[in-house]
Amino acid sequence: MPEGSGDGLVLPFAPAIGGALGLPYNAARPSPGGTVVIARTSVDADAGLAALMGAAQGGDEVAYRKVLHASVPLIQRTARRTGVPPSGVDDVVQEVLLAIHRMRATFDPTRSYEAWLSAIAKRRAIDFLRSSGRRSSRELFEPIAYENHADDTDVAAGAELRSEGVRLGAAVATLPEGQREAVEVLAYGEKSLEEGAALTGRSKTALKVNLHRAIQSLRSRLSGSG
Amino acid sequence: MAGTRMDDLIDGLATRLQPVRRLRPPLLRAAVWLCALLLVAAALYAILGGNAGAMAERPYIAPAFVAALATAVAAAVAAFQLSLPDRSDLWALLPLPTLALWLALSGLGCLADLGVPGTWGASFVEMRECVLVILASAVPLSVLLVLMLRRASPERFGRVALVAGVAGAAAAGAVLMLVHPHNSTALDLLLHGLCVAAVIGLNAVLGGRLLRRTQERERA
């Protein structure tokens, strides 16, 4: 992870608020002590980025590379928080990187880099949402295509699939030796009957019967408990 | 993959990196513009033979002058702040109180003279001079402001140009009152209102376009 990105959601708020109010960078620095420790390190990381950007303004290519790489996760976070769908985040990141390049003279290294960056990123994200809103208003109404399109991030379905997998694995483990072997070789290993017979040393018929019995007992067990 | 595309982009930007001159703090830049305003005012005062002493003879002129000057300063500061991406949108509100005060005082100055001969209109020569003073101060000061703002944050071109227009118009108003200190006549007020609106409007249209064009050239 690049520096300044490993501290979760606490990171951008203090500098961003200070920046929005037009306060100098140090005014947004949280007071020391207790729970603010995470924010303190992030403020230090922010100060580091500000110094790197200051060097980049002077033409330091290495510093510029570092600051751009470190900006990517910050932009992604701002884009996601503004409501940009996962498929659009990369486009927003690219736009913002170009905007950083064009507007780099407007950055003041005594102020927060993250506040500067998040202001740019937020406006680009809103621009993206506006233009994609315009695009979608011209699109055709296709309910079947919409229904058939897999979601980009269906977290719930993914979790359900994983828990189904766990249940199936547990059920397979309780099968008798021959049946479990048939499931592992033919279903999990995706082998043909010939390959399975060669691997296990059993006949093809025995494998087929075992798999059939295994599926039957798994079906009754899983549907019974589900 | 997206990762390599991003790496390529960063690589391209880094190889193309040129040193840039960091923009001076907004207050400093506003101060530079204010110096230009004082220069223009002094030049017009000297050329047209102004009579600032006459200000004291008429009510409302001196406070209106101060309000106009304060509006110009506040609007210039606001424009320079708004031109930076990380400053709050609220800066746009900074010139509003003094702007309202300036317009109110001009109106009161006009009302105070009601009934006095000449309230409803100045002579043609006077009027021409007023327009000349307004143009001679508003045009160079607005052009200078737009030039100084050319690297503004592109998301706020329109707002920056609008506030810059207020700064130019208020500066012209202040210079006019300094050179030509008489209470506004109704026609004056109308004329001035039109000039102010024209300066603001031109700035918003041309300023925004100029700002955008300079940016696109830099981008290329």
Side-chain angles (χ1 to χ4, degrees), chain A residues 11-100:
Chain A
L11 180 59
F13 291 123
I17 291 169
L21 295 176
L23 296 172
Y25 170 68
N26 284 335
R29 190 178 275 268
S31 57
T35 53
V36 201
V37 172
I38 297 169
R40 267 175 68 82
T41 47
S42 73
V43 167
D44 290 342
D46 188 22
L49 286 178
L52 283 175
M53 193 58 186
Q57 287 174 325
D60 184 340
E61 206 182 303
V62 179
Y64 194 44
R65 254 176 236 277
K66 272 188 203 160
V67 87
L68 288 182
H69 276 294
S71 300
V72 171
L74 301 176
I75 303 167
Q76 287 170 335
R77 196 160 57 202
T78 308
R80 278 197 296 268
R81 202 176 291 153
T82 315
V84 174
S87 57
V89 169
D90 272 355
D91 288 347
V92 174
V93 171
Q94 286 201 16
E95 276 293 311
V96 176
L97 288 177
L98 289 170
I100 294 174

Side-chain angles (χ1 to χ4, degrees), chain A residues 19-20 54 56-58 61 64-65 69 90 93-94 101-107 109 111 116 119 123-124, chain B residues 2 5-7 9-11 13-14 17-23 84-88 151 154-156 219:
Chain A
Q57 287 174 325
E61 206 182 303
Y64 194 44
R65 254 176 236 277
H69 276 294
D90 272 355
V93 171
Q94 286 201 16
H101 189 72
R102 280 199 300 278
M103 293 200 269
R104 61 192 190 279
T106 66
F107 176 66
R111 296 167 65 93
W116 183 79
R123 292 209 186 94
R124 296 286 146 162
Chain B
R5 210 175 51 174
M6 216 67 81
D7 289 342
L9 177 63
I10 291 177
D11 209 45
L13 292 177
L17 182 69
Q18 297 281 331
V20 283
R21 198 172 51 82
R22 198 174 297 145
L23 293 179
L84 301 174
D86 56 343
R87 309 302 160 102
S88 165
R151 286 196 279 185
E155 292 86 354
R156 289 198 282 210
R219 190 189 301 193

Side-chain angles (χ1 to χ4, degrees), chain A residues 129-142:
Chain A
L129 288 176
R130 272 197 199 127
S131 66
S132 63
R134 272 201 296 277
R135 255 201 313 279
S136 67
S137 71
R138 286 197 296 267
E139 275 166 8
L140 292 170
F141 178 57
E142 272 287 11

